[in-house]
Amino acid sequence: MGKLDGKVAVITGATSGMALAGARRFVEEGAHVFISGRRQEELDEAVALIGHNVTGVQADSADLEDLDRLFKTVREEKGAIDVLWASAGVGHAAPLADITEEHFDAAFSLNARGTLFTVQKALRLFNDGGSIFMTGSNASLRGYPNWSVYAASKGLLSIYARGWVAELRDRKIRVNVLTPGQVETPMMEAVMTDEIRAQFESLIPRREMGSPEEIASVALFLASDDSSYVNGQELVVDGGTTVI
């Protein structure tokens, strides 16, 4: 018997990395999973990789019409949601002197605005007692040069969570933040030079970056009843980077 038997989960930004690993794990544990991503080709590849009990919906989480289409598909196919992992996000480095309006708007449009409206639109379909969690970043917990805009756009997710816990308590819907550290994902690989990788790994006690599967295990914990008494928390999964 799986930990998510009969559950319906929605995971945004799930065409690669941590969220894709989480989608695969959720299906293995008995859920039907709706995944979204901006690029149809990558979405199709992710659906094929997961193989069954999965529905792919092309959607940009920064676009409210796309979000409406995503949740319309969920409503038509399954009618309700038990788990939402709002994972779609973007991050690019820029030193303070070089930050532009476009850089700022790109980060906040998806990470902050997109996440908020993803949760808001999902609520109309949410079963009482469900679980919502968002992907944060340990960049918001310590100072990383050149990542201030990204860190700020992720740091407010824990503020969202605390406010929404208070609003949703009568429905017993839990809201948490899953905050990973340095993980071997395509997005991370796209912005890392060998020098940056060495710097990141030097901060991790085990001197090795995390894997998407390690994050997926924690996502399963937050999605399942194993975390029934975890609410309004930021769960940091970074190998100890932020505590030393």
Side-chain angles (χ1 to χ4, degrees), residues 6-205:
K7 302 293 187 181
V8 174
V10 176
I11 308 177
T12 62
T15 56
S16 65
M18 298 177 289
L20 175 56
R24 297 179 70 182
R25 188 69 184 274
F26 286 12
V27 168
E28 290 171 0
E29 293 289 339
H32 185 98
V33 179
F34 290 82
I35 63 171
S36 71
R38 290 180 296 175
R39 291 174 284 274
Q40 188 66 52
E41 182 178 354
E42 293 181 9
L43 185 65
D44 292 342
E45 291 173 356
V47 168
L49 182 64
I50 296 168
H52 67 286
N53 288 345
V54 59
T55 302
V57 181
Q58 188 278 326
D60 179 349
S61 292
D63 186 317
L64 301 194
E65 291 185 0
D66 280 8
L67 290 175
D68 285 336
R69 187 174 68 255
L70 167 62
F71 292 112
K72 180 175 183 288
T73 302
V74 177
R75 184 180 67 250
E76 291 174 347
E77 291 194 13
K78 292 295 181 179
I81 301 170
D82 301 289
V83 177
L84 172 66
W85 182 3
S87 187
V90 67
H92 300 288
L96 175 60
D98 296 336
I99 293 170
T100 64
E101 290 182 54
E102 292 77 15
H103 177 88
F104 180 93
D105 290 345
F108 275 82
S109 177
L110 181 55
N111 300 347
R113 179 177 179 271
T115 298
L116 185 153
F117 286 107
T118 296
V119 174
Q120 182 196 72
K121 292 174 182 296
L123 274 180
R124 302 165 188 169
L125 299 175
F126 237 85
N127 285 322
D128 290 358
S131 174
I132 295 170
F133 57 100
M134 303 165 278
T135 298
S137 170
N138 76 344
S140 68
L141 302 178
R142 63 179 298 166
Y144 290 108
N146 306 328
W147 289 95
S148 60
V149 170
Y150 173 71
S153 70
K154 288 292 191 177
L156 57 75
L157 299 185
S158 61
I159 300 172
Y160 283 168
R162 291 194 292 271
W164 296 342
V165 163
E167 292 184 39
L168 299 173
R169 61 184 175 182
D170 290 342
R171 296 185 59 188
K172 299 181 181 178
I173 295 174
R174 296 180 294 110
V175 186
N176 293 289
V177 181
L178 170 53
T179 296
Q182 299 84 345
V183 180
E184 294 273 9
T185 66
M187 189 178 92
M188 182 68 79
E189 291 170 2
V191 301
M192 276 197 309
T193 63
D194 289 343
E195 180 181 1
I196 291 174
R197 175 185 290 275
Q199 290 174 347
F200 278 164
E201 291 183 336
S202 72
L203 299 172
I204 305 168

